[in-house]
Amino acid sequence: FLLSLKLENKTRGKLKKQICQVVLDHFEKQYTTELGDTWTSVRDVLTYPSCWQYAVLLNKFSQSTELENVLCAKGYHPAFQGPLPYIPASLKCYIKRTPGRFPAQKHQAGKLKEYYLLNAASLLPVLALEVKDGEDVLDLCAAPGGKSVAILQCASPGNFHCNEYDDLRSRWFKQTIESFIPNPLINLITVSKLDGRQIGDLKPELYDKVLVDAPCSNDRSWLFSSDTQQATLRLIRRKELSSLQLQLLRSAIKALRPGGSLVYSTCTLSKAENSDVINLILNSCRNVVPVDISEMAKATAQEFTFLSGMQQHEHLVLPEKGRAWGPMYIAKLKKM
């Protein structure tokens, strides 16, 4: 009996996420300066996983009306109900105000999953990208694959190129695609493991739309780093991320056709990795202009909290209780 009690306590300990103090101290210093009083309420959500919420993105390739009925019975409602500039009828995402997570589905070879669990704010870059049938699309940093899956819920691209440089993340991405996309369609997707910084030179002016969901300091996961040494190293290297993000954006611009547009997104609150990167691009690339995405923010303001004072081409989703989505930074640019 004592042994089983010990095992039970051990399991419970594993389930309870531990905050990494080194990271919290670093964030406290930076985000108090950048966000002021807003940081306090954001911190309360980020450091308290039991108040986190998870959205349920339905898979149109494995549709089930029964699932929609179950979600509605459990208090879920459609996430995007407002008059958005772009909201395909085939994109169905359900959320609820109370915390909690719908049961996840295991990967089974040859069987499609019915839904994908995600942070609802991660669908905003996809909505901002406005992919239409037949367009050539590049997802530059595609793993773990949620945004690629969402793009395919919205439209049927002509050529859909999904790239992931990291070997482990690339394998993760392939499994995600196999879980959600039927075989005939998978064959139409080009999956590569190229260095995203070189794609612009390798495939110049090939795409109508490019998504740059850049590697960033992932605030949510970093706060719960179990290895303090690794966390400290991450924080030291954090300054290098904006340089990588800039290089990825420059590559994405080269890969875009004139008239094409790109969306840049991160899951960090960090100004150095968000607005600063986009401002540097706008100031150094004469062939790129900002695109107003304020209508999207207005239409989704009921479900998401946006940081005030941002420019019209960018938005930052702030997590708050009852709307614990984000952090998610989104910016849209067009190539002239």
Side-chain angles (χ1 to χ4, degrees), residues 77-266:
H77 63 272
F80 305 105
Q81 300 177 86
L84 275 99
Y86 172 86
I87 180 74
S90 53
L91 181 79
K92 291 183 177 179
C93 179
Y94 282 82
I95 59 174
K96 67 174 180 175
R97 283 291 167 98
T98 50
R101 188 175 186 151
F102 202 68
Q105 291 180 311
K106 280 185 180 167
H107 172 74
Q108 287 177 278
K111 192 180 178 188
L112 294 182
K113 290 185 182 182
E114 290 183 317
Y115 57 87
Y116 189 100
L117 299 180
L118 76 175
N119 183 324
S122 64
L123 291 176
L124 293 176
V126 174
L127 293 178
L129 197 61
E130 300 186 42
V131 175
K132 294 175 181 66
D133 289 348
E135 288 184 325
D136 295 327
V137 181
L138 168 64
D139 188 349
L140 194 68
C141 315
K147 292 180 182 70
S148 296
V149 166
I151 285 168
L152 290 166
Q153 301 302 315
C154 293
S156 303
N159 166 27
F160 191 25
H161 180 180
C162 299
N163 182 69
E164 179 52 57
Y165 185 48
D166 183 87
D167 195 49
L168 186 68
R169 287 173 64 83
S170 179
R171 289 202 295 273
W172 185 8
F173 172 79
K174 282 177 185 168
Q175 191 180 84
T176 302
I177 291 297
E178 280 168 22
S179 292
F180 289 92
I181 312 303
N183 258 326
L185 196 56
I186 283 184
N187 299 336
L188 299 175
I189 301 168
T190 304
V191 180
S192 66
K193 290 200 309 185
L194 300 166
D195 184 334
R197 294 169 291 187
Q198 293 167 7
I199 281 183
D201 291 324
L202 295 169
K203 299 180 182 293
E205 301 194 347
L206 267 188
Y207 305 97
D208 302 296
K209 303 277 165 74
V210 178
L211 175 63
V212 185
D213 187 40
C216 66
S217 46
N218 185 325
D219 295 353
R220 273 188 197 240
S221 68
W222 281 26
L223 270 168
F224 295 95
S225 307
S226 51
D227 185 335
T228 310
Q229 209 173 349
Q230 187 197 42
T232 308
L233 197 63
R234 272 178 175 169
L235 293 171
I236 292 164
R237 290 181 177 165
R238 194 179 193 198
K239 290 172 189 166
E240 297 165 19
L241 282 167
S242 55
S243 169
L244 169 64
Q245 291 153 352
L246 270 169
Q247 289 172 66
L248 289 170
L249 270 171
R250 289 205 169 100
S251 175
I253 292 162
K254 284 181 185 175
L256 263 182
R257 289 180 180 132
S261 53
L262 75 81
V263 168
Y264 172 77
S265 61
T266 73

